Amino acid sequence: MSQCRIGYWMKPKKAKRINLMKIEEILATKYNIDLVELDLVDSDTVTVDAIFHKMSDLILDSKMGKESAVKMLSSFQKYINQHPRVKVFDPLPNIEIVLDRVSMMQAIAACSEACTAGRRFYSSGYIDCTDVSNREVLLGDIKDSNFNYPFICKSRISQGSLGHDMCIILTEDGLRDVKPNSVLVPFIDHNAILYKVFMVGTRYHAVARPSITSKKLLSKHVDVYHFHSDTVSKITEAETSVQHDIGSGENFCCNQSLTQSQDTLVQEWVKIISRKLGLTLVGFDLIFETGTDRPYIIDINYFPGYDGYGEFHEVLAELLFASIQTS
């Protein structure tokens, strides 16, 4: 029997961030599996038993008409269609759902509805700002949605640097900074704690991260505050300027864990999200509303960085190995 091979494709920066070499080492030493990089230009030469990838940027580039991205994705999809027994983590159409914040928010709401009554998470709701040329229409949408200031304005594109560029609208005058093809979501006070839940199939790990504190935010006395979301939630040696301005900053304790009851719920939600979205390598941002402790999932990210998930490499290698055994 020939040695099994698993194909992968991702940008070098992503490969370095997740320490792909460690996954390769585990596959080789523990499971006797070769890890090979896919050639998306000439996929006809590929012979693999399973594939995992991070093609988010290629998908977005292809939607913008970039010819090279269109050809690479077409070549990849052709190979998948011709080799239906090859397990793919994850199918391109499923990934597309979470690359657009409108379809993502709709998916979050659908997953919420699939939860058992009394044990569900919630969606914050959103306002689609594809066209913001008519201010009165926007004000009407805000009124109809029963949203109260402040709001967070995010790009419809959820991945890449554009997906992390955001602003907080604190007054009606701040609406001038709402750009086309964005979404407005309400700011929900959550004690400045955000949980990154990293999923590998139905296995997961939750990591607490610093977030925005309403006390600091409301003390800014500005109409709008622009920031990059990574500068809020990243744990760094020195407090970032954004963390100093509106975040929990030095008061944040990174060892804060989900309670046992919260973790039990997250375990159920992970299974629902994996099943409903058909995604394996995914993560979501979870907050608990101050005062009510009501849980909200506010974002879903395809193939996140898995920072803080110590067993990520072993868990992914085990999943890849299991996929070959059942294919």
Side-chain angles (χ1 to χ4, degrees):
M1 180 179 177
S2 60
Q3 187 172 5
C4 291
R5 305 170 82 213
I6 289 176
Y8 77 92
W9 191 93
M10 62 188 66
K11 290 186 174 181
K13 183 178 180 181
K14 180 67 177 181
K16 181 178 180 180
R17 181 177 179 185
I18 67 167
N19 193 359
L20 184 66
M21 291 180 63
K22 185 172 182 179
I23 299 170
E24 181 178 18
E25 179 184 355
I26 295 170
L27 288 171
T29 58
K30 188 174 182 179
Y31 300 110
N32 192 33
I33 295 174
D34 281 341
L35 184 64
V36 296
E37 184 174 10
L38 298 178
D39 182 356
L40 296 187
V41 177
D42 187 13
S43 61
D44 290 338
T45 62
V46 175
T47 304
V48 294
D49 301 281
I51 295 171
F52 70 102
H53 65 88
K54 177 67 181 283
M55 297 187 188
S56 306
D57 290 341
L58 280 182
I59 294 173
L60 294 173
D61 285 345
S62 70
K63 288 184 175 297
M64 296 177 68
K66 191 171 181 179
E67 187 175 350
S68 60
V70 172
K71 287 182 177 180
M72 292 169 77
L73 285 181
S74 176
S75 175
F76 176 72
Q77 193 60 57
K78 177 183 175 183
Y79 177 82
I80 298 306
N81 294 340
Q82 292 175 343
H83 301 81
R85 292 181 62 84
V86 174
K87 184 68 175 178
V88 181
F89 302 102
D90 284 298
L92 300 182
N94 300 11
I95 297 170
E96 287 187 39
I97 293 172
V98 298
L99 298 185
D100 178 280
R101 280 199 166 95
V102 170
S103 56
M104 177 206 297
M105 296 299 291
Q106 293 169 346
I108 291 173
C111 289
S112 172
E113 290 298 319
C115 295
T116 304
R119 300 180 66 80
R120 68 174 37 147
F121 59 84
Y122 293 85
S123 167
S124 65
Y126 69 96
I127 297 173
D128 183 353
C129 298
T130 301
D131 181 4
V132 294
S133 58
N134 191 320
R135 184 183 178 91
E136 293 306 314
V137 171
L138 178 57
L139 289 171
D141 290 342
I142 292 171
K143 182 179 179 180
D144 293 342
S145 300
N146 292 317
F147 283 5
N148 296 312
Y149 294 96
F151 318 129
I152 301 179
C153 182
K154 306 178 180 181
S155 166
R156 277 194 63 159
I157 298 174
S158 67
Q159 298 280 301
S161 59
L162 188 60
H164 293 286
D165 285 331
M166 304 180 184
C167 67
I168 301 176
I169 311 294
L170 291 101
T171 70
E172 185 176 319
D173 287 340
L175 293 174
R176 65 180 182 272
D177 282 18
V178 176
K179 297 178 180 179
N181 296 313
S182 60
V183 296
L184 289 180
V185 297
F187 173 78
I188 300 167
D189 194 12
H190 50 286
N191 289 323
I193 301 172
L194 178 146
Y195 292 94
K196 294 278 187 181
V197 181
F198 300 122
M199 295 170 49
V200 181
T202 56
R203 297 177 69 174
Y204 68 95
H205 181 71
V207 179
R209 296 283 177 83
S211 188
I212 298 170
T213 169
S214 60
K215 183 178 180 180
K216 281 188 177 182
L217 177 61
L218 297 176
S219 70
K220 296 305 294 179
H221 302 298
V222 294
D223 296 322
V224 60
Y225 185 91
H226 291 267
F227 67 101
H228 192 277
S229 61
D230 269 357
T231 60
V232 177
S233 60
K234 289 281 188 184
I235 298 177
T236 56
E237 292 184 7
E239 184 181 54
T240 68
S241 60
V242 177
Q243 287 173 339
H244 175 77
D245 277 352
I246 62 171
S248 49
E250 60 186 15
N251 296 319
F252 174 77
C253 175
C254 63
N255 294 322
Q256 297 175 91
S257 301
L258 295 169
T259 66
Q260 184 174 351
S261 60
Q262 289 171 340
D263 190 60
T264 299
L265 289 172
V266 169
Q267 186 175 1
E268 296 177 15
W269 300 339
V270 162
K271 292 177 181 178
I272 290 170
I273 290 170
S274 178
R275 184 181 74 250
K276 292 284 288 183
L277 299 186
L279 293 175
T280 301
L281 302 174
V282 68
F284 59 86
D285 293 351
L286 173 67
I287 61 173
F288 293 89
E289 184 178 28
T290 302
T292 67
D293 226 23
R294 174 179 281 193
Y296 287 87
I297 290 181
I298 58 173
D299 235 333
I300 298 178
N301 305 290
Y302 182 68
F303 209 145
Y306 290 94
D307 299 330
Y309 191 169
E311 297 178 350
F312 164 66
H313 306 89
E314 290 79 6
V315 172
L316 178 55
E318 182 181 335
L319 175 119
L320 294 170
F321 172 71
S323 74
I324 291 176
Q325 304 307 300
T326 57
S327 61

